[in-house]
C-alpha cells in the first residue's frame, strides 16, 4: 500500500501516462504513433519486438508502448500489461476477413486482470481506404456494447491522413486523468 | 547464558539450512524438464536419423507417381521443419557450438531436400507469354471487363448475382475488388478498373493475375501454384498462406505469412517480413509495364533504396541468417514485361 502511494505520487509529479498499443499485425499501430509524433510514416517496417515513444501532450507525458502484432509476438503481449493506464486497441477496418480474429484477441485482453483498470480506446483505423467498414459495423462485429465493466470508446481514424487521432487520444488522456489525477 | 545462546544459534542455523534445502527443491521442481541440453541433443539426433533414413529411400520413388513423390518430399520437408522448430525453441539453453553445428546440419538437409525435389520432379520452366498471346488475351479480357462493369452498374444486385452464378467469382463490390475461389484462370486487369483500389485475392489455384496499375492496398489469402503481378501498392501488402507461387509486389510494407516454396520479386521501402514460412526466395522487383515509372513516383518509391533483401523472419530472432529464405540467383531471376 505504501509503495503504491509512493508510486502514485511520483506519477502525479511527472504526470506520465502509459499507453499500450495492441492489435493484429498490419493494423497500423506504429504508423499511428509515428503520425502522432510527426515522424515520417512512409518507411515503417513491421514491428519486430516493440517500440517506446514519448510524446508531450498538454501537461502530460504520454509514453506509447507499441508492441508488434504478428502471431508469433502475441504471446509476449502479457509482458507489457503491468502499469498500463490506457489500452489502445487498433483495428484495420478494411480487414474484414480477420475481424473475427481481432475480436478473439480483444476479448482475451479484456479478461486480463492486470489490464482491468485501464481505459480502453478502440481505433478503427484505415478509414481512408474505400474498403473500410464504418465505426458502427466494427462496433457490432466486436460486440463492444457488451463491455460494461470499464470505460471504453471507439473512434474512427486514419493514420495516413491523421483524421480522428487527436479525438481518440484526447478521450483516453482525459479519462485517465480523471481517474488518476483528480483524486486529490 | 552462553549455552543458551549457542543452542539458539544452532537452532537458527538448522532452520536456515532446511529452508535452503526446501528452496533448492522448489527451484528444481520449477525447472522446465524440457529445457535440457541433453534432451535436445537426443531429440535432434533422433530427428536427423529419421530424415536421413527417409532420404536414403529415394531410389524407390524414382519411378513412382507424382502424387507419391510429392507426398514423400512433403514428408521430408515437414520433418526438416520439426527440426528447425526444435532448434529455435532450444537456442536459449544449448551451447553456442551445438547451435551452430545443428544449424549447419539443418542447412545441409534443406539443400539435400531441394536437390531431391529437382531430381524427382523436374521443374517446369515458367514461360512468358509472347506479345501476340497477350493481345488475344486482352480481347478476351475486354469482354470480361464489360461483364464486370455490368455487375458494378447493378451494385445492389451484386450479391444476388454472386449467389446465382457461382462460376463468376470476380466479385466487384462498390468498395473493393476481390477475386475469390478461382482456378486455372488468366487475367490481365485494366488500369481504369483497378486504379487506386483495394484488392483482395482469396483461394486461387493455378491462376495468373496481372494488375498493371497503382493500388491502394492488397490482401492475399490462400493462393496456390499461381503467378501474381501487381503494380506499386501505396499502403501495405498482407499475405497469408501461399504455396508454389511467384509474386511480383511493390509496397512500403510487406508481410508474408505461411508461405512455402514461393518466389517474391519485391520492391519494399521497409524490410519485408516472413512468419512461419519456408523456402521463400527473394529478388528485386522485375515486373514492368508502360506506366510503371509514373506509378512508382506517385508512391514516392525510390528504386535505389529497395529493401528486398533485408528480410526479417519472425521465427528466427537471432543474428545468423534464417534458413527459411534465400536470395534467388541472378541467372535464375525472371522478368515480367507487359508492353501494352
Amino acid at each position: 500500500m505504501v509503495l503504491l502511494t509512493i508510486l502514485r505520487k511520483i506519477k502525479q509529479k511527472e504526470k506520465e501516462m502509459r499507453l499500450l498499443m495492441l492489435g493484429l499485425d498490419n493494423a497500423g499501430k506504429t504508423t499511428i504513433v509515428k503520425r502522432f509524433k510527426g515522424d515520417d510514416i512512409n518507411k515503417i517496417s513491421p514491428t519486430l519486438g516493440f517500440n517506446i515513444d514519448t510524446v508531450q501532450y498538454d501537461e502530460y507525458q504520454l509514453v506509447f508502448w507499441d508492441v508488434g502484432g504478428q502471431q508469433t509476438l502475441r504471446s509476449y503481449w502479457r509482458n507489457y500489461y503491468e502499469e498500463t493506464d490506457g489500452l489502445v486497441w487498433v483495428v484495420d477496418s478494411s480487414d474484414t476477413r480477420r475481424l473475427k480474429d481481432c475480436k478473439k484477441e480483444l476479448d482475451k485482453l479484456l479478461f486480463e486482470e492486470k489490464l482491468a483498470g485501464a481505459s480502453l480506446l478502440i481505433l478503427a483505423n484505415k478509414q481512408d481506404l474505400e474498403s473500410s467498414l464504418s465505426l458502427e459495423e466494427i462496433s457490432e462485429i466486436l460486440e463492444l456494447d457488451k463491455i460494461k465493466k470499464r470505460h471504453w470508446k471507439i473512434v474512427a481514424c486514419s493514420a495516413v491522413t491523421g483524421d480522428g487521432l487527436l479525438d481518440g487520444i484526447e478521450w483516453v488522456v482525459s479519462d485517465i486523468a480523471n481517474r488518476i489525477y483528480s483524486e486529490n | 547464558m552462553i549455552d543458551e545462546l549457542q543452542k539458539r544459534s544452532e537452532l537458527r542455523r538448522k532452520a536456515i539450512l532446511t529452508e535452503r534445502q526446501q528452496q533448492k527443491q522448489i527451484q528444481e521442481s520449477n525447472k522446465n524438464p524440457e529445457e535440457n541440453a541433453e534432451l535436445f541433443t537426443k531429440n535432434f539426433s533422433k530427428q536427423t536419423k529419421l530424415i536421413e533414413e527417409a532420404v536414403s529411400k529415394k531410389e524407390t520413388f524414382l519411378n513412382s507417381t507424382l502424387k507419391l513423390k510429392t507426398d514423400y518430399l512433403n514428408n521430408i520437408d515437414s520433418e526438416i521443419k520439426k527440426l528447425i522448430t526444435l532448434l529455435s525453441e532450444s537456442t536459449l539453453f544449448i551451447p553456442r557450438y551445438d547451435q551452430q553445428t545443428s544449424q549447419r546440419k539443418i542447412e545441409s538437409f534443406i539443400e539435400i531436400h531441394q536437390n531431391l525435389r529437382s531430381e524427382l520432379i523436374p521443374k517446369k520452366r515458367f514461360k512468358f507469354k509472347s506479345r501476340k498471346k497477350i493481345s488475344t488475351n486482352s480481347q478476351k479480357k475486354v469482354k470480361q471487363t464489360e461483364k464486370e462493369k455490368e455487375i458494378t452498374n447493378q451494385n445492389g444486385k451484386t450479391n444476388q448475382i454472386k449467389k446465382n452464378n457461382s462460376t463468376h467469382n470476380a466479385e466487384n463490390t462498390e468498395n473493393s475488388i476481390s477475386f475469390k475461389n478461382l482456378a486455372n484462370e488468366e487475367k490481365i486487369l485494366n488500369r481504369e478498373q483497378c486504379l487506386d483500389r483495394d484488392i483482395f485475392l482469396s483461394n486461387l489455384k493455378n491462376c495468373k493475375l496481372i494488375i498493371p496499375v497503382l493500388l491502394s492496398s492488397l490482401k492475399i489469402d490462400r493462393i496456390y501454384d499461381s503467378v501474381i503481378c501487381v503494380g506499386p501498392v501505396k499502403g501495405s501488402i498482407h499475405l497469408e498462406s501461399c504455396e508454389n507461387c511467384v509474386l511480383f509486389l511493390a509496397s512500403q510494407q510487406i508481410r508474408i505469412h505461411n508461405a512455402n516454396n514461393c518466389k517474391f520479386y519485391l520492391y519494399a521501402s521497409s524490410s519485408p517480413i516472413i512468419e512461419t514460412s519456408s523456402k521463400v526466395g527473394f529478388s528485386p522487383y522485375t515486373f514492368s509495364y508502360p506506366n510503371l515509372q509514373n506509378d512508382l513516383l506517385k508512391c514516392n518509391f525510390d528504386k535505389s533504396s529497395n529493401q528486398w533483401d533485408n528480410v526479417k523472419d519472425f521465427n528466427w530472432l537471432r543474428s545468423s541468417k534464417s534458413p527459411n529464405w534465400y536470395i534467388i540467383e541472378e541467372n535464375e531471376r525472371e522478368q515480367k514485361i507487359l508492353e501494352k
Side-chain angles (χ1 to χ4, degrees):
Chain A
M1 234 10 233
V2 182
L3 189 64
L4 201 68
T5 32
I6 292 172
L7 279 175
R8 194 168 280 165
K9 266 190 190 150
I10 293 173
K11 260 193 169 176
Q12 268 175 4
K13 220 191 247 163
E14 292 175 354
K15 297 233 172 184
E16 189 186 284
M17 289 181 184
R18 179 160 159 171
L19 300 176
L20 179 61
M21 309 282 294
L22 293 177
L24 300 190
D25 50 312
N26 200 28
K29 296 175 289 297
T30 312
T31 313
I32 286 175
V33 176
K34 297 284 176 210
R35 178 87 215 184
F36 201 61
K37 266 186 80 184
D39 291 352
D40 180 18
I41 58 163
N42 290 315
K43 283 187 180 160
I44 296 170
S45 179
T47 309
L48 214 172
F50 66 94
N51 307 314
I52 302 176
D53 280 299
T54 321
V55 180
Q56 192 68 32
Y57 179 83
D58 283 352
E59 55 195 305
Y60 305 106
Q61 184 148 38
L62 307 184
V63 184
F64 287 97
W65 286 68
D66 162 29
V67 187
Q70 313 294 330
Q71 188 83 52
T72 31
L73 296 180
R74 288 181 207 159
S75 53
Y76 299 104
W77 282 359
R78 59 191 161 82
N79 301 338
Y80 302 88
Y81 295 162
E82 212 96 32
E83 282 182 55
T84 293
D85 298 312
L87 173 63
V88 182
W89 181 255
V90 185
V91 183
D92 174 356
S93 313
S94 70
D95 196 357
T96 37
R97 190 175 64 79
R98 291 198 300 159
L99 270 178
K100 266 192 197 142
D101 281 346
C102 179
K103 176 178 163 40
K104 218 170 67 195
E105 295 289 347
L106 176 62
D107 286 349
K108 261 195 242 166
L109 288 183
L110 296 179
F111 270 111
E112 290 294 336
E113 216 165 293
K114 283 178 185 161
L115 290 173
S119 315
L120 171 66
L121 170 68
I122 297 144
L123 289 176
N125 191 24
K126 304 206 185 178
Q127 291 294 328
D128 56 305
L129 297 186
E130 52 179 6
S131 60
S132 280
L133 296 181
S134 70
L135 191 84
E136 291 74 27
E137 286 168 301
I138 287 176
S139 325
E140 201 172 307
I141 295 170
L142 298 182
E143 296 184 355
L144 296 181
D145 50 339
K146 287 194 181 158
I147 306 175
K148 297 261 157 68
K149 284 186 187 158
R150 66 170 80 223
H151 294 183
W152 64 270
K153 187 180 171 73
I154 178 165
V155 174
C157 75
S158 159
V160 175
T161 63
D163 291 340
L165 284 187
L166 269 180
D167 297 342
I169 297 298
E170 213 171 73
W171 176 81
V172 79
V173 168
S174 69
D175 193 69
I176 296 168
N178 283 338
R179 196 175 61 236
I180 301 181
Y181 302 119
S182 65
E183 277 165 18
N184 44 341
Chain B
M1 184 68 181
I2 291 170
D3 274 4
E4 185 90 334
L5 281 175
Q6 264 175 347
K7 246 185 212 166
R8 270 197 192 178
S9 83
E10 194 68 21
L11 270 175
R12 206 174 287 149
R13 202 179 298 147
K14 262 184 195 162
I16 290 171
L17 268 176
T18 49
E19 201 177 311
R20 268 189 201 155
Q21 260 167 357
Q22 272 170 358
Q23 269 177 355
K24 223 180 193 177
Q25 270 169 3
I26 290 169
Q27 263 175 11
E28 257 159 34
S29 63
N30 278 347
K31 216 175 182 181
N32 192 341
E34 281 171 12
E35 291 191 2
N36 184 329
E38 271 173 41
L39 195 72
F40 166 77
T41 348
K42 220 168 104 190
N43 286 340
F44 195 88
S45 63
K46 209 161 78 188
Q47 192 70 17
T48 39
K49 249 182 218 153
L50 215 69
I51 298 172
E52 275 161 358
E53 269 167 31
V55 170
S56 66
K57 280 184 202 145
K58 77 170 185 198
E59 263 80 25
T60 52
F61 287 93
L62 274 176
N63 295 316
S64 61
T65 61
L66 188 69
K67 169 120 192 12
L68 279 174
K69 279 180 187 171
T70 44
D71 280 352
Y72 165 67
L73 287 169
N74 288 343
N75 181 30
I76 294 180
D77 186 39
S78 69
E79 294 300 334
I80 293 176
K81 266 186 202 152
K82 273 186 211 161
L83 207 60
I84 293 175
T85 34
L86 181 68
L87 176 61
S88 59
E89 277 167 4
S90 314
T91 38
L92 276 181
F93 54 84
I94 59 169
R96 209 176 158 75
Y97 176 75
D98 283 4
Q99 250 181 59
Q100 282 172 354
T101 46
S102 317
Q103 199 179 316
R104 243 172 264 146
K105 191 87 194 167
I106 290 175
E107 274 163 14
S108 76
F109 274 140
I110 291 173
E111 207 185 310
I112 289 172
H113 178 252
Q114 265 167 359
N115 292 342
L116 216 58
R117 185 177 282 270
S118 51
E119 198 178 322
L120 288 179
I121 311 170
K123 248 191 207 159
K124 277 184 242 158
R125 286 293 304 175
F126 176 75
K127 277 186 202 147
F128 296 104
K129 298 265 173 254
S130 63
R131 212 175 148 185
K132 241 184 189 171
K133 252 185 174 170
I134 284 178
S135 59
T136 54
N137 264 334
S138 59
Q139 277 174 2
K140 237 195 269 167
K141 188 203 67 197
V142 170
K143 275 183 203 162
Q144 217 151 31
T145 45
E146 271 170 13
K147 213 168 154 192
E148 275 160 6
K149 261 182 203 156
E150 252 177 59
I151 293 175
T152 14
N153 290 340
Q154 321 167 324
N155 238 327
K157 291 180 190 166
T158 320
N159 285 333
Q160 223 179 341
I161 288 167
K162 201 184 94 203
K163 269 176 207 158
N164 294 343
N165 182 1
S166 57
T167 49
H168 195 289
N169 283 311
E171 182 186 327
N172 208 344
T173 63
E174 51 191 312
N175 296 330
S176 63
I177 301 176
S178 46
F179 292 93
K180 286 180 184 162
N181 313 320
L182 298 178
N184 311 316
E185 290 215 28
E186 258 193 61
K187 278 187 181 177
I188 304 178
L189 303 181
N190 63 349
R191 274 186 81 81
E192 295 72 40
Q193 192 189 358
C194 300
L195 180 71
D196 214 5
R197 303 290 300 266
D198 301 326
I199 307 268
F200 291 82
L201 308 178
S202 173
N203 196 15
L204 307 184
K205 281 196 188 95
N206 196 24
C207 287
K208 199 169 159 193
L209 215 58
I210 299 178
I211 313 177
V213 64
L214 172 97
L215 301 175
S216 166
S217 77
L218 175 64
K219 292 192 171 81
I220 302 175
D221 145 57
R222 285 172 295 141
I223 54 169
Y224 312 97
D225 312 297
S226 296
V227 179
I228 312 281
C229 308
V230 297
V233 178
K234 266 198 285 187
S236 62
I237 294 178
H238 189 272
L239 192 144
E240 210 167 301
S241 307
C242 69
E243 222 161 297
N244 311 325
C245 292
V246 182
L247 297 103
F248 297 77
L249 308 171
S251 175
Q252 55 149 324
Q253 267 191 353
I254 299 171
R255 293 177 168 86
I256 298 164
H257 305 264
N258 307 323
N260 187 18
N261 198 26
C262 290
K263 285 182 179 165
F264 290 92
Y265 293 79
L266 298 186
Y267 169 84
S269 35
S270 71
S271 30
I273 67 132
I274 59 172
E275 192 178 52
T276 46
S277 302
S278 59
K279 283 185 281 173
V280 278
F282 287 89
S283 149
Y285 193 60
T286 53
F287 176 44
S288 88
Y289 57 92
N291 239 318
L292 175 70
Q293 289 310 326
N294 256 332
D295 287 348
L296 282 172
L297 270 178
K298 272 187 208 157
C299 300
N300 283 329
F301 288 171
D302 172 12
K303 269 202 162 169
S304 63
S305 62
N306 191 352
Q307 300 281 318
W308 66 277
D309 57 345
N310 194 5
V311 181
K312 300 257 160 61
D313 182 355
F314 274 63
N315 300 95
W316 197 262
L317 303 175
R318 60 196 81 121
S319 51
S320 57
K321 194 193 154 292
S322 154
N324 297 325
W325 67 276
Y326 62 93
I327 288 176
I328 301 170
E329 298 284 340
E330 260 175 66
N331 52 14
E332 286 179 12
R333 288 178 189 167
E334 295 164 10
Q335 277 222 338
K336 195 105 188 113
I337 297 167
L338 198 67
E339 290 177 16
K340 194 186 70 80

